[in-house]
Amino acid sequence: MNIYINGKLVPEKDAKISVFDHGLLYGDGVFEGIRAYHGRVFMLEAHIDRLYRSAQAIALRIPIGKAAMAAAVVKTCKANGTRDGYVRLVVTRGVGSLGLNPYQCKTPQIIVIAAKIQLYPGALYEQGLRVVTAGTPRNHNESVSPNIKSLNYLNNIMAKIEAINAGVLEVIMLNPQGFVAEASGDNVFALSGRELSTPPVSCGALEGITRNVVIRLAAQAGLDVREKILTRYDLYNADELFLTGTAAEIIGVVDMDRRTIGNGKVGPVTRDLTRRFRALTQTEGAPIG
Ligand code: PXG
């Protein structure tokens, strides 16, 4: 595997970052998780835009422009023969002295890894996922905005630990006010009749790129899609529940906190949206060449 670091492609064993990088020392940096399907990088521009928004929010000036960043992603995929895969794009604050001050770090490190990811076992896409509510609330909007895709994922990891300890693979996270925010690395959607709802970003959800694609596909499918403040009560009583994310794609949820959701099977709307999503991934995206 060849890794892109600061403009160069190097073998994995030579792809190294300093122990003084503030990305490691403080989780100070931003990232994107992107998928390639069928020889194309899916929604590349949207991921690059979000990366720069995350960087802007933490006052990190990325030393190259968006076009060069997109080209770096495509080039790394090409160098690794990626047709279907997962790209991790990371920008760290760079090397600095010990101490929080980010302005001492002069050169952000840009890393692109073209690899694979599987978030949940394949069989669960048929059977559906069981989830529990996390006791750990999502970060307060004004502590670390959930819209920043930062290198500090401890909030989500703490919640994920709760899932695994409870014998399931995913959690629903609430915001500090008790409204539904998202899962540990996915957005959440609830169907009630023909109404499909997902929490507004202001409720502590990352503005997921898959979320935005699904909103578009659902509208095309004739569903009444809306951003709506949701409580656990709304999720327990949904006809269908599903999660969306680049890594997760679309996965049905059939049990939450030991309440059976709908009829306990992945529902027809979830299946229809999955089909539409799969179709889109086969034709859309920046060609790897
Ligand atoms: N919420 C959070 C907190 C996320 O981290 C999503 C929602 C879904 O957003 P997208 O834009 O992907 O639809 C994410 C994305 C990983 C991994 O390596 C995590 C994500 C995406 C890709 C890989 O675990 N999370």
Side-chain angles (χ1 to χ4, degrees), residues 39-247:
R40 294 170 189 273
V41 184
F42 188 62
M43 301 299 291
L44 179 57
E45 210 177 288
H47 282 286
I48 301 285
D49 284 347
R50 188 172 63 185
L51 180 79
Y52 281 75
R53 291 200 302 273
S54 293
Q56 166 72 7
I58 66 164
L60 170 60
R61 224 185 65 76
I62 299 178
I64 65 172
K66 288 185 183 178
M69 189 67 86
V73 170
V74 171
K75 182 173 152 182
T76 308
C77 287
K78 193 165 182 182
N80 286 283
T82 303
R83 308 301 296 164
D84 293 270
Y86 169 73
V87 177
R88 169 57 61 89
L89 174 51
V90 182
V91 183
T92 74
R93 186 74 70 175
V95 170
S97 49
L98 295 177
L100 296 180
N101 187 353
Y103 296 115
Q104 286 197 336
C105 308
K106 295 298 174 217
T107 316
Q109 301 289 295
I110 301 171
I111 303 159
V112 187
I113 305 166
K116 297 269 178 203
I117 194 167
Q118 184 168 25
L119 218 52
Y120 313 113
L124 290 185
Y125 286 80
E126 277 300 313
Q127 292 162 21
L129 199 58
R130 289 160 52 226
V131 302
V132 294
T133 308
T136 309
R138 194 77 179 89
N139 284 331
H140 190 288
N141 280 326
E142 293 304 330
S143 52
V144 180
S145 167
N147 262 310
I148 302 171
K149 211 164 157 54
S150 86
L151 292 184
N152 193 321
Y153 253 51
L154 274 175
N155 181 221
N156 315 63
I157 291 166
M158 300 278 276
K160 184 86 171 183
I161 287 170
E162 294 184 55
I164 295 161
N165 289 352
V168 300
L169 295 179
E170 196 48 82
V171 280
I172 300 297
M173 298 182 76
L174 308 179
N175 71 10
Q177 289 72 46
F179 297 117
V180 172
E182 57 180 345
S184 70
D186 325 319
N187 291 107
V188 59
F189 284 81
L191 181 79
S192 178
R194 294 295 289 172
E195 184 184 292
L196 184 66
S197 308
T198 193
V201 168
S202 56
C203 273
L206 178 76
E207 188 176 345
I209 285 157
T210 319
R211 169 189 185 272
N212 289 348
V213 168
V214 165
I215 287 173
R216 207 169 74 219
L217 293 175
Q220 285 166 11
L223 293 162
D224 176 11
V225 200
R226 50 187 71 187
E227 292 188 326
K228 194 169 151 183
I229 294 175
L230 296 170
T231 62
R232 284 199 293 174
Y233 173 91
D234 300 318
L235 303 194
Y236 294 154
N237 285 291
D239 297 327
E240 297 184 29
L241 209 55
F242 62 85
L243 308 179
T244 68
T246 298

